[in-house]
Amino acid sequence: MSLTFFTPGPAQLYPTFEKHLQTFVSEQLGSISHRSQQYRDLHKFTVDQVRTLLNVPDSHAILFLGSASEAWERILFSCVELESFHLVNGSFSKKFYDYSVGLCKYAHSQEKPMGEGFSASEIVVPEYAELICTTHNETSSGVQMPVSEIHKLKQKYPDKLIAVDIVSSAPYPDLDFNLIDTAFFSVQKAFGLPAGLGVWIVNEKCLRKSEEIKKQYSIGAHNDLPTLWKNAQNNETPATPNVMGIYLLGKIAEDFNKIGVKNIRKETEQKADLLYKFIESTNGFTSFVKDKKYRSQTVIVTNTEQPSADIIKAIKAKGMVIGSGYGQFKSSQLRIANFPATSLEQVQSLIQELKAL
């Protein structure tokens, strides 16, 4: 039985993935040199498609890493000499903070319970913090920080760098990269690809900061920002990259561009609206995120009266896979991914099966 995955990552593969994979294999792209013109053309194609999709200006480089978790370390090495500041309201925003502590930075945090969101007006950034670390979509709890609040936060503290985790939401958030210094995502969620590739969007301010820090402190020996940036100018990477992942990302981003990112965002909101209406109107389900302003459009989290494992098992028997709650909420919540790979019709089918339980 073929399954449809509504899991928050790894997630459902995008419908055109298999076709693009077959092309990659048939054209023997897995054997080309990463210093060849053929690779440079492939690299440039992907960068150009992602740049168009996310409206990234030329002032920002688009770099390739092994994962979004690696981006946490690269950003902290490159943008923080001494002090970072983190908005923490879930497990993944907490891990960003933990990475800073692990790198012996002085990490400040402003925290809220899981399920609650931040507005710019209530955030107080310490005077000497160099970097503000935000999470647009907290995968563990289904909380989304409105893009407008992220922009306001940068405008409130224009002299500080700001980083945005868009791991489980890109390409949904319409970020203004004239305000955002750096952002990052991985491909196994909304881009409908297998895991193994992280994408780091970063501007010249971060580059200059890393060059200054490097004069006194380590900014890492592998994939440091100045080296990544220098190689990217020639459509290359410092070390042999994940050529397959980069190629497939370019083709999926091209598919998204043909659909139009505005249309993808609109359909994402339509599907999310259906899921939240079901949760709010069905006995045994309640939204974990109480304030609608902060409800994620891409990872919908519901409390369940019966054990979530029982619901997951019953739904899998119908050919669909949904995610359990995260951490302490594993047995009492469901997380339903709402990514472009699943259609409006598939979401409607899921809702029908949940209603029938």
Side-chain angles (χ1 to χ4, degrees), residues 62-76:
I62 296 174
L63 309 173
F64 300 116
L65 304 171
S67 66
S69 301
E70 184 185 350
W72 285 333
E73 186 168 283
R74 298 277 74 75
I75 290 168
L76 292 163

Side-chain angles (χ1 to χ4, degrees), residues 81-128:
E81 181 179 347
L82 299 172
E83 301 187 28
S84 63
F85 172 75
H86 304 256
L87 296 176
V88 175
N89 61 344
S91 298
F92 292 95
S93 49
K94 175 66 162 54
K95 285 182 181 180
F96 202 170
Y97 168 85
D98 291 340
Y99 270 48
S100 187
V101 174
L103 293 175
C104 299
K105 309 296 183 182
Y106 190 93
H108 304 267
S109 68
Q110 186 168 330
E111 299 191 25
K112 282 200 169 185
M114 282 182 71
E116 295 184 20
F118 291 98
S119 62
S121 60
E122 66 187 330
I123 296 167
V124 180
V125 180
E127 181 180 358
Y128 294 110

Side-chain angles (χ1 to χ4, degrees), residues 136-305:
H136 172 253
N137 195 82
E138 176 51 73
T139 316
S140 64
S141 63
V143 171
Q144 210 160 79
M145 184 172 182
V147 164
S148 59
E149 296 301 320
I150 296 173
H151 291 162
K152 286 175 188 175
L153 181 59
K154 173 64 176 183
Q155 290 163 335
K156 187 176 174 182
Y157 295 100
D159 296 331
K160 299 184 186 299
L161 297 173
I162 190 165
V164 187
D165 176 337
I166 53 173
V167 168
S168 57
S169 56
Y172 176 74
D174 187 9
L175 291 174
D176 181 354
F177 282 97
N178 293 307
L179 293 172
I180 303 306
D181 298 291
T182 184
F184 56 95
F185 63 90
S186 49
V187 300
Q188 73 271 21
K189 297 177 185 285
F191 283 85
L193 290 168
L197 184 69
V199 180
W200 183 17
I201 303 166
V202 59
N203 70 3
E204 293 166 343
K205 290 180 184 177
C206 296
L207 174 65
R208 290 195 294 270
K209 176 79 170 179
S210 69
E211 290 169 338
E212 284 301 310
I213 295 172
K214 193 174 184 178
K215 293 175 182 177
Q216 297 186 69
Y217 301 97
S218 169
I219 59 167
H222 178 64
N223 280 347
D224 71 75
L225 178 53
T227 307
L228 282 163
W229 190 287
K230 181 181 177 181
N231 278 263
Q233 304 312 298
N234 197 37
N235 295 304
E236 293 182 0
T237 56
T240 309
N242 180 352
V243 179
M244 184 169 69
I246 293 168
Y247 171 81
L248 292 170
L249 173 61
K251 301 307 287 186
I252 297 297
E254 180 184 35
D255 292 337
F256 285 2
N257 283 323
K258 287 176 181 175
I259 296 168
V261 70
K262 289 183 180 178
N263 291 324
I264 290 172
R265 288 168 180 152
K266 182 179 178 181
E267 186 173 84
T268 298
E269 290 168 358
Q270 289 173 335
K271 293 185 294 178
D273 186 54
L274 287 176
L275 286 163
Y276 282 118
K277 282 181 177 176
F278 158 74
I279 292 165
E280 293 295 295
S281 63
T282 306
N283 290 335
F285 298 89
T286 55
S287 289
F288 180 49
V289 182
K290 301 308 178 188
D291 190 334
K292 292 181 180 180
K293 176 182 177 182
Y294 299 113
R295 284 181 185 169
S296 171
Q297 298 296 292
T298 56
V299 180
I300 285 77
V301 178
T302 176
N303 298 315
T304 60
E305 285 185 6

